[in-house]
Amino acid sequence: EIVLTQPPGTLSLSPGERATLSCRASQSFSNYLAWYQQKPGQALRLLIYGASSRATGIPDRFSGSGSGTDFTLTISRLEPEDFAVYYCQQYGGSPLTFGGGTKVEIK
Amino acid sequence: EVQLVESGGGLVQPGGSLRLSCAASGFIFNNHAMSWVRQAPGKGLECVSAITGSGGSTYDADSVKGRFTISRDNSKNTVYLQMNSLRAEDTAVYYCARTTWAGQVPDFMDVWGKGTTVTVSS
């Protein structure tokens, strides 16, 4: 099983700042990685798939990069609506697995 | 508008059964695989089951194999999760998600419902 680790558990930042979220895998799986955003009471939203492709309707302040075992989600300038929990998910091997999530909170 | 609406959650005793439903609208249902993903209280996400658009292939997590069964009725645009022999550790919010499936296992989930809560407790 591919284990995904998302350090740190919480990131405290201010609106307008840059957010860099990490997702590290226990083994390599090319670029089969997705990122999701979760807000309380709302449906999860797909942000990135294939490690770097933005999903439909996702603003270009969100970008993904990486391959192998190290992946990054970058939010170039945090908007108030971006404060949420972010999960990575790999689909390069079975079983599908998700990271434990990083909460981006207002500093 | 693409929409997924889950129903069927509730309180059930250990060893009991429950069937979840997910009604889809706004897209060609049988063109898409579907998944059930759960989130235990205060925990992360786990894909428990998935099914291809035709229903010909399924995926199940080891934690639910032999207990949960995913199915779909393309005439009703609905996917189901039959959950038997429920355990306390199955307590979670269960999300339905439209899923991309290109290879031997599901890929990523591009549309999600808001979830239905299952509580297993005596």
Side-chain angles (χ1 to χ4, degrees), chain A residues 19-88:
Chain A
T20 303
L21 284 69
S22 175
C23 177
R24 294 174 184 157
S26 59
Q27 53 186 284
S28 178
F29 53 86
S30 187
N31 66 338
Y32 299 119
L33 189 100
W35 289 93
Y36 303 90
Q37 179 191 67
Q38 185 177 40
K39 296 181 186 179
Q42 295 187 21
L44 276 90
R45 183 166 70 146
L46 172 70
L47 302 173
I48 301 287
Y49 63 93
S52 60
S53 297
R54 262 189 306 276
T56 303
I58 301 304
D60 60 7
R61 65 180 181 272
F62 290 92
S63 64
S65 62
S67 67
T69 60
D70 284 288
F71 299 86
T72 301
L73 174 70
T74 301
I75 310 171
S76 58
R77 286 176 54 87
L78 282 165
E79 298 287 340
E81 62 268 28
D82 298 337
F83 291 91
V85 180
Y86 293 84
Y87 293 95
C88 58

Side-chain angles (χ1 to χ4, degrees), chain B residues 8 71 81 88:
Chain B
S71 63
L81 186 66

Side-chain angles (χ1 to χ4, degrees), chain A residues 1-7 22-29 33 68-71 88-101, chain B residues 45:
Chain A
E1 173 174 325
I2 298 173
V3 176
L4 299 179
T5 304
Q6 292 187 247
S22 175
C23 177
R24 294 174 184 157
S26 59
Q27 53 186 284
S28 178
F29 53 86
L33 189 100
T69 60
D70 284 288
F71 299 86
C88 58
Q89 176 237 327
Q90 67 79 21
Y91 48 100
S94 184
L96 303 186
T97 51
F98 291 81
Chain B
L45 300 160

Side-chain angles (χ1 to χ4, degrees), chain B residues 17-101:
Chain B
S17 297
L18 212 54
R19 188 176 85 153
L20 306 183
S21 300
C22 170
S25 59
F27 63 98
I28 301 174
F29 184 66
N30 60 9
N31 281 358
H32 294 271
M34 299 295 295
S35 298
W36 287 97
V37 179
R38 69 184 179 185
Q39 186 170 34
K43 303 290 186 181
L45 300 160
E46 179 188 19
C47 180
V48 295
S49 294
I51 188 167
T52 55
S54 66
S57 294
T58 59
Y59 162 95
D60 294 295
D62 286 345
S63 58
V64 305
K65 271 180 186 170
R67 301 189 300 124
F68 290 11
T69 302
I70 190 171
S71 63
R72 63 191 295 157
D73 185 338
N74 286 345
S75 68
K76 295 182 178 179
N77 286 2
T78 301
V79 61
Y80 305 98
L81 186 66
Q82 178 66 44
M83 304 186 295
N84 299 330
S85 303
L86 282 161
R87 307 166 180 166
E89 55 264 36
D90 296 318
T91 294
V93 176
Y94 284 74
Y95 299 101
C96 169
R98 192 175 76 174
T99 301
T100 299
W101 190 331

